[in-house]
Amino acid sequence: DGETLAQMYAMPNGEVHFYAPQQDLMVQYDGTAVKVKAQNSYRSETRGLCGTFNTQPVDDFTTPQGYVLQNPYEFAATYALEDSSCQGPAKELKARAQQRIANGQYSRNLVVYGNVVADQEANPRPGSNAARSSNKNQNKNQNKNQERSQKYSSGSQQRIYVTEKGGKQCFSVHPQLQCSSSSSAQGYVNKQIEFVCLQPSSVTQHWQEMIQRGVNPDFSQKKPYQTYSIQVPKNCDA
């Protein structure tokens, strides 16, 4: 029907360009490196050697299984096709990356959901029903926080809090203290925390996946902020 599906042409400087108009993708090859140009609609929707395209370079080295590596050569090798035609160090590097993952060097963590409480629960009047209810809720929430902390390997750490508020997914602007399974919280304190709240989307889902892998995305530039009172550990003792 005369519709152009793809175009490939050589440039005067020797580069080869491939353009797919329906997908709005451009691939450029100069004989050494490949450059992929994509529109904003692809943000947080890509995987592979070119990264995640989410403005967060920290998780660009994500393997097919969702682990974030640090060594670029091992990362690239995880995408190698291991057949009889595979030459060079790819097999060895891929095996090394898989061994590091198996040893727990690149472990996956679960999202930590903050205990968001209402202002009247955070600061109840002494002797009131709200105060008694708050104490009960605090004990329950402490137990829940201790159960959640058991999902971590060792020590305390700073992690982004994630919660849901008014149908939106909210991320703390800055990481907050979390206690791991090898430590216990020495009391809790109500703290006013700034959150960025957004409508659920593929982008917010990707951020949650990043946090699950132990990455703390930078939300400091994503305004406006909303402030909620949450309970955080005062400190963690082993």
Side-chain angles (χ1 to χ4, degrees):
D1 57 3
E3 185 177 10
T4 300
L5 300 179
Q7 297 175 332
M8 182 178 291
Y9 46 90
M11 302 297 291
N13 62 359
E15 289 186 356
V16 176
H17 289 196
F18 174 86
Y19 178 60
Q22 293 185 1
Q23 288 74 32
D24 207 3
L25 287 172
M26 169 72 78
V27 180
Q28 301 175 359
Y29 177 61
D30 63 2
T32 302
V34 175
K35 180 186 294 185
V36 179
K37 294 184 177 181
Q39 297 300 312
N40 284 333
S41 59
Y42 287 93
R43 288 202 177 275
S44 300
E45 299 294 336
T46 65
R47 297 291 186 275
L49 297 179
C50 290
T52 54
F53 195 39
N54 65 354
T55 73
Q56 300 288 341
V58 69
D59 72 334
D60 275 342
F61 292 167
T62 300
T63 71
Q65 293 75 33
Y67 292 91
V68 180
L69 306 188
Q70 296 178 353
N71 186 300
Y73 299 101
E74 293 179 0
F75 157 70
T78 62
Y79 286 90
L81 300 177
E82 297 182 275
D83 55 23
S84 58
S85 64
C86 183
Q87 303 294 325
K91 289 184 178 180
E92 178 183 350
L93 289 170
K94 187 173 184 178
R96 185 191 305 171
Q98 292 172 339
Q99 185 61 48
R100 292 181 189 274
I101 292 173
N103 291 339
Q105 184 171 345
Y106 303 111
S107 61
R108 284 175 170 171
N109 292 321
L110 297 178
V111 177
V112 178
Y113 288 91
N115 174 31
V116 179
V117 296
D119 291 340
Q120 61 269 28
E121 294 176 328
N123 301 288
R125 291 174 296 176
S128 66
N129 291 333
R132 289 190 291 271
S133 176
S134 177
N135 290 334
K136 292 181 181 179
N137 290 334
Q138 183 173 0
N139 291 333
K140 291 180 180 179
N141 291 326
Q142 287 177 357
N143 292 334
K144 289 181 180 178
N145 286 337
Q146 289 172 353
E147 291 174 0
R148 288 167 182 151
S149 69
Q150 292 175 359
K151 301 183 190 309
Y152 295 96
S153 55
S154 62
S156 61
Q157 52 192 325
Q158 297 287 323
R159 296 295 304 278
I160 292 292
Y161 271 61
V162 183
T163 190
E164 184 175 327
K165 194 74 172 177
K168 294 184 177 181
Q169 292 176 337
C170 300
F171 303 84
S172 63
V173 176
H174 304 290
Q176 304 297 324
L177 178 67
Q178 296 291 326
C179 298
S180 70
S181 59
S182 63
S183 62
S184 59
Q186 299 302 300
Y188 290 83
V189 60
N190 288 316
K191 186 176 180 181
Q192 297 293 320
I193 303 295
E194 291 180 326
F195 284 83
V196 173
C197 296
L198 304 167
Q199 292 292 343
S201 66
S202 60
V203 175
T204 58
Q205 177 62 33
H206 181 68
W207 284 336
Q208 290 199 51
E209 292 174 357
M210 291 173 61
I211 297 169
Q212 289 174 5
R213 297 193 295 266
V215 179
N216 286 328
D218 181 11
F219 293 104
S220 60
Q221 303 301 317
K222 301 184 183 300
K223 299 181 179 180
Y225 301 154
Q226 299 183 42
T227 302
Y228 298 115
S229 178
I230 66 172
Q231 288 184 334
V232 298
K234 290 182 178 179
N235 53 66
C236 303
D237 283 350

